[in-house]
């Protein structure tokens, strides 16, 4: 899919500049770490877009002294005295995202002592003993520019240091929470809590090549046994009018109830490794709101963009490549091109795509390179069925949640 997103890059420039493409200029802003970033708009699917560096005047913003709120066109985020999130207001829906009197992004340290095999087992009784991590060592604005505002909060827990950056970009994107944790503890399950003001008995979870719904009540023993479940890139808690989505880039365990999404971010048993997870950890998550029930194509697009950010590469220019290029694209938002690779047994290119919205459809695959032959194969790249290539396109039909493997040569 075509993407627009802030892009950070290292650059030797010291004076203000802008980046230009197709006559449109976007300012570059200096980050606290010395890098630069700008809003890269309309980057083609599976491709690139070229931006030229041009001189520009600096962009001035009013000074911000309030360390307890962040705001953009879509959200207002407020923090309490301990820099836990006390309010997230969704402007599109005109309503609060959190249940009254609750705090989001709050860290909870559970006493995690399985009877055997620490690294593998999580026992249902782990919730019986816990403490909140509210100890704040410092808080400071680290970014406030045309692309957004970021607040950095450092906490201390026993012998560990936990730094969190809360970033709300300009425009309509959601709140990103980036963690940098130096962890030294044992027998602790660390979770981050996101209470949701929705009315539902089920939640949606991302899995490989699709998604799954699970009940979030405890009516039966089977339901009770789901006190911890997996989710790959996102988890969504929605009713028919409103919902919240929590994206993550590497933390795949969570527990979800009618009131909360709690992301599991660290465990530190002592068997078989007596120093399990006692090291530095970096990860991020993002909180989004949406109207109505979960929109699977839109949610998956946001999750892929979050997990695979745009990358910047610098060149001297003057080459033979076009200013922008798309290797592959597809005309339906519920079809995701998940993999592009070389074939195992030939020089052909293998494309693997899947339908993400539980909605069968016809789709057109557009190729950015010459291909004379196309064939649909099984997942082992065997038993090819020929497909027609017409004007650089291949027509396909997807059943709900179907995975297709296409061989191009």
């Amino acid at each position: 899919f075509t993407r627009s997103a802030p892009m950070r890059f290292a650059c030797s420039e010291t004076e203000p500049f802008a980046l230009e493409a197709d006559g449109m200029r976007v300012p570059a802003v200096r980050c606290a770490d010395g890098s630069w970033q700008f809003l890269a708009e309309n980057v083609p699917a599976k491709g690139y877009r070229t931006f030229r560096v041009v001189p520009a005047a600096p962009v001035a913003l009013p000074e911000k002294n309030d360390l307890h709120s962040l705001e953009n066109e879509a959200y207002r985020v407020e923090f309490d005295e301990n820099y836990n999130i006390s309010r997230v207001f969704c402007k599109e829906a005109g309503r609060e995202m959190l249940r009254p009197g609750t705090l989001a992004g709050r860290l909870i340290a559970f006493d995690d002592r399985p009877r055997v095999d620490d690294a593998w087992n999580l026992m249902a009784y782990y919730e019986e003993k816990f403490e909140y991590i509210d100890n704040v060592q410092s808080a400071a604005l680290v970014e406030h520019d045309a692309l957004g505002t970021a607040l950095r909060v450092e906490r201390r827990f026993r012998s560990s240091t936990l730094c969190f950056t809360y970033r709300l970009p300009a425009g309509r994107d959601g709140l990103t929470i980036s963690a940098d944790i130096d962890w030294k503890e044992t027998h602790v399950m660390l979770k981050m809590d996101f209470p949701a003001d929705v009315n539902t008995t089920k939640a949606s979870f991302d899995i490989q090549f699709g998604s799954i719904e699970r009940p979030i009540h405890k009516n039966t023993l089977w339901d009770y046994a789901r006190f911890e479940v997996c989710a790959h890139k996102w988890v969504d808690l929605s009713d028919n009018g409103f919902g919240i989505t929590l994206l993550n880039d590497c933390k795949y365990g969570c527990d979800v109830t009618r009131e909360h999404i709690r992301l599991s971010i660290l465990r530190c048993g002592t068997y078989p490794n007596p120093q399990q997870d006692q090291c530095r950890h970096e990860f991020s998550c993002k909180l989004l709101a949406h109207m109505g029930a979960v929109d699977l194509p839109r949610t998956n697009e946001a999750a892929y963009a979050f997990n695979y950010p745009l990358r910047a590469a610098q060149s001297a220019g003057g080459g033979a490549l076009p200013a922008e290029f798309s290797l592959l694209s597809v005309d339906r938002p519920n079809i995701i091109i998940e993999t592009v690779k070389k074939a195992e047994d030939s020089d052909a290119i293998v494309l693997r795509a899947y339908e993400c919205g539980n909605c069968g459809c016809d789709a057109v695959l557009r190729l950015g390179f010459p291909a004379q032959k196309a064939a649909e194969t099984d997942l082992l790249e065997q038993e090819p069925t020929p497909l027609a290539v017409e004007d650089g396109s291949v027509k396909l039909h997807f059943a709900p949640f179907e995975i297709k493997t296409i061989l191009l040569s």
Side-chain angles (χ1 to χ4, degrees):
F1 46 88
T2 299
R3 294 167 58 179
S4 298
M7 176 178 290
R8 185 171 298 209
F9 61 99
C11 181
S12 59
E13 296 284 342
T14 57
E15 298 299 321
F17 64 94
L19 293 108
E20 183 180 69
D22 297 332
M24 299 293 294
R25 290 191 177 188
V26 290
V29 297
R30 194 75 178 265
C31 303
D33 61 2
S35 64
W36 293 81
Q37 66 174 341
F38 74 103
L39 180 61
E41 296 188 282
N42 301 320
V43 178
K46 302 289 187 186
Y48 66 83
R49 189 179 187 195
T50 304
F51 295 85
R52 296 188 302 109
V53 174
V54 294
V59 178
L61 289 177
E63 185 177 351
K64 179 178 173 62
N65 297 313
D66 179 13
L67 297 184
H68 289 271
S69 68
L70 304 172
E71 189 168 2
N72 65 8
E73 295 177 13
Y75 301 94
R76 178 172 175 82
V77 180
E78 297 179 4
F79 300 85
D80 70 0
E81 66 277 7
N82 293 317
Y83 291 95
N84 293 307
I85 300 169
S86 58
R87 185 189 187 201
V88 184
F89 183 77
C90 176
K91 298 181 181 180
E92 179 185 5
R95 57 167 287 176
E96 305 290 341
M97 293 172 59
L98 309 182
R99 290 185 178 273
T102 62
L103 299 173
R106 196 176 194 184
L107 298 173
I108 311 175
F110 293 93
D111 191 41
D112 180 25
R113 298 180 184 273
R115 286 190 290 268
V116 293
D117 299 335
D118 295 9
W120 295 276
N121 290 333
L122 177 67
M123 310 308 292
Y125 56 71
Y126 81 94
E127 295 182 277
E128 295 178 2
K129 186 178 179 181
F130 65 90
E131 60 182 294
Y132 294 109
I133 302 178
D134 291 332
N135 184 358
V136 177
Q137 299 295 298
S138 64
L141 283 178
V142 291
E143 292 177 19
H144 179 54
D145 51 48
L147 295 181
T149 306
L151 171 69
R152 185 177 184 271
V153 177
E154 181 177 323
R155 303 183 188 275
R156 188 77 179 174
F157 176 67
R158 299 177 187 172
S159 300
S160 301
T161 303
L162 306 92
C163 298
F164 288 84
T165 301
Y166 303 86
R167 181 175 287 105
L168 193 64
R172 304 188 61 81
D173 205 0
L175 176 70
T176 296
I177 304 175
S178 300
D180 183 352
I181 299 176
D182 185 13
W183 191 250
K184 304 297 183 185
E185 314 308 319
T186 60
H187 293 294
V188 173
M189 163 73 103
L190 186 63
K191 285 179 173 281
M192 185 182 291
D193 188 17
F194 295 90
D197 190 12
V198 296
N199 179 40
T200 184
T201 58
K202 62 183 180 180
S204 300
F205 303 82
D206 180 53
I207 59 175
Q208 188 175 25
F209 298 119
S211 60
I212 188 172
E213 289 185 348
R214 298 186 180 106
I216 53 175
H217 51 69
K218 296 182 179 179
N219 290 352
T220 69
L221 289 176
W222 292 270
D223 299 328
Y224 182 79
R226 281 188 286 261
F227 59 86
E228 183 82 4
V229 296
C230 64
H232 283 183
K233 294 182 288 294
W234 57 266
V235 56
D236 184 275
L237 200 56
S238 306
D239 53 33
N240 290 331
F242 183 77
I244 71 167
T245 304
L246 184 64
L247 311 180
N248 83 88
D249 65 356
C250 64
K251 299 298 180 182
Y252 307 130
C254 60
D255 71 281
V256 183
T257 67
R258 297 184 185 187
E259 296 86 17
H260 298 265
I261 300 173
R262 295 192 304 197
L263 188 65
S264 302
I265 57 179
L266 283 174
R267 286 191 73 214
C268 42
T270 55
Y271 177 83
N273 181 1
Q275 295 179 320
Q276 176 185 326
D277 278 359
Q278 294 185 33
C279 57
R280 186 176 177 183
H281 301 263
E282 295 180 343
F283 60 89
S284 298
C285 60
K286 178 186 281 190
L287 187 65
L288 299 169
H290 60 82
M291 301 294 291
V294 58
D295 184 333
L296 293 176
R298 184 177 178 182
T299 301
N300 277 284
E301 180 177 326
Y304 272 94
F306 187 62
N307 278 265
Y308 302 98
L310 297 174
R311 296 182 180 180
Q314 293 179 263
S315 73
L321 294 175
E324 61 180 69
F325 171 75
S326 174
L327 180 69
L328 293 161
S329 64
V330 66
D331 66 342
R332 295 298 297 263
N334 56 319
I335 304 301
I336 294 179
I337 301 173
E338 220 284 338
T339 303
V340 181
K341 70 181 188 74
K342 184 178 176 294
E344 296 295 320
D345 302 321
S346 69
D347 290 329
I349 293 176
V350 171
L351 158 70
R352 186 158 291 127
Y354 73 98
E355 196 285 317
C356 71
N358 195 22
C359 177
C361 68
D362 294 318
V364 177
L365 173 67
R366 300 187 182 96
L367 310 179
F369 57 94
Q372 284 72 44
K373 296 179 181 180
E376 183 176 347
T377 72
D378 59 20
L379 292 175
L380 297 177
E381 303 172 19
Q382 299 173 355
E383 301 181 8
T385 300
L387 298 169
V389 181
E390 299 177 357
D391 298 324
S393 299
V394 179
K395 294 181 179 179
L396 302 168
H397 176 78
F398 286 81
F401 288 138
E402 182 180 9
I403 306 169
K404 283 188 181 293
T405 302
I406 310 299
L407 204 65
L408 300 167
S409 60

